[in-house]
Amino acid sequence: MSSPTGPAPGLPVRMPRPRQSGRHRRPEPVAAPEGAPALVLAVPGAPAPTTRSLAEEVISIARSELPGLEVAIGYVDGDDEEYPTLTTVLARTAALRTERYEIAKAAGREVDEPEGPAAVVVPLLAGPDNALMRRIREALMDSRAAVELTDVLGPHPLLAEAVHVRLSEAGLARADRARLFTVATAADGIVLATVGGEEAVQAAGITGMLLAARLAVPVMAAALDEPGSVAAVAEQLRGSGSVQLALAPYLVGPELPEGLLDAAAKEAGCAASEALGAYPAIGKLVLSQYATALGIAQPQGTQLR
């Protein structure tokens, strides 16, 4: 199940606990409990090197917050060659857990038989998407493994922060409202774009209110995958007095079909920022969902709502 260069793709990996020396070192973070289930990140969208890099960075952030955490990545649309499917990863994870128990037992060690889920599956989704969540649940059932599925990552104040940062990086918002300078291209109205239908728009609206408070400009949510939704919201913002609009994706990235954001920005007649990507808050929220599912201590700053 392993190669000379490391574990086979899709298998959970246990990392050693990092240690810091020095007089003023930070308190050592909480470590993953011994025998804790693996965290499996369910990645939507068409697999690609950029998607894999993003997922690995998100997992790295989560692992740095909880040393000893076992992790794996499963792709909803994987091919089981370069990109292992979520079903395959879950089956492997469960089998590896059983194998470890059998090896320890054969070696005469006193070990408890594994109980509870072999893995906790966290969808890499900022907001709800019924179609994608249905496919993830089907993958869980097909794996025949004992696993637990968490909710999506948002809404959450950290996601509002992430959207704000992406807007500022694109020159569409001030990085800090308290600073005494202006950005000539700063938007005075934000279309917060998501996918997943009306439920996703409603959830994005909650984060939109938090974003509006940060930017002191109106923010309205729209669905990229519903024809005319973005244009209608843009028209509504302009009708209420906004002149310079910006389109801000409320999406991690892999779940965003190629070309959809650019087409929506063109339709609305405004510039767009990048998707959230591997912003540090994404990794922290992934870990928070995992910790909440298991009822273990969460690193400071990642507690949900």
Side-chain angles (χ1 to χ4, degrees), residues 62-89:
R63 204 156 47 190
S64 70
E65 295 282 336
L66 189 64
L69 177 66
E70 291 188 355
V71 299
I73 299 169
Y75 298 87
V76 178
D77 291 306
D79 53 21
D80 273 341
E81 295 177 3
E82 194 173 2
Y83 302 97
T85 64
L86 181 57
T87 296
T88 297
V89 168

Side-chain angles (χ1 to χ4, degrees), residues 17-29:
R17 297 180 67 184
R19 295 185 177 276
Q20 290 178 298
S21 60
R23 183 176 172 187
H24 301 292
R25 65 179 183 270
R26 293 184 305 169
E28 208 164 287

Side-chain angles (χ1 to χ4, degrees), residues 27 142 155 167 180 232 238 268 292:
D142 290 344
L167 283 166
L180 300 178
R238 290 189 174 103
T292 299

Side-chain angles (χ1 to χ4, degrees), residues 58 61-62 65 153 156-163 166 276-288 301-302 304:
V58 169
I61 294 167
E65 295 282 336
L153 306 182
H156 194 278
L158 287 176
L159 293 179
E161 171 192 296
V163 175
R166 294 297 184 238
L276 303 178
Y279 186 74
I282 302 297
K284 292 180 179 181
L285 289 173
V286 165
L287 177 60
S288 184
T302 63
L304 289 176

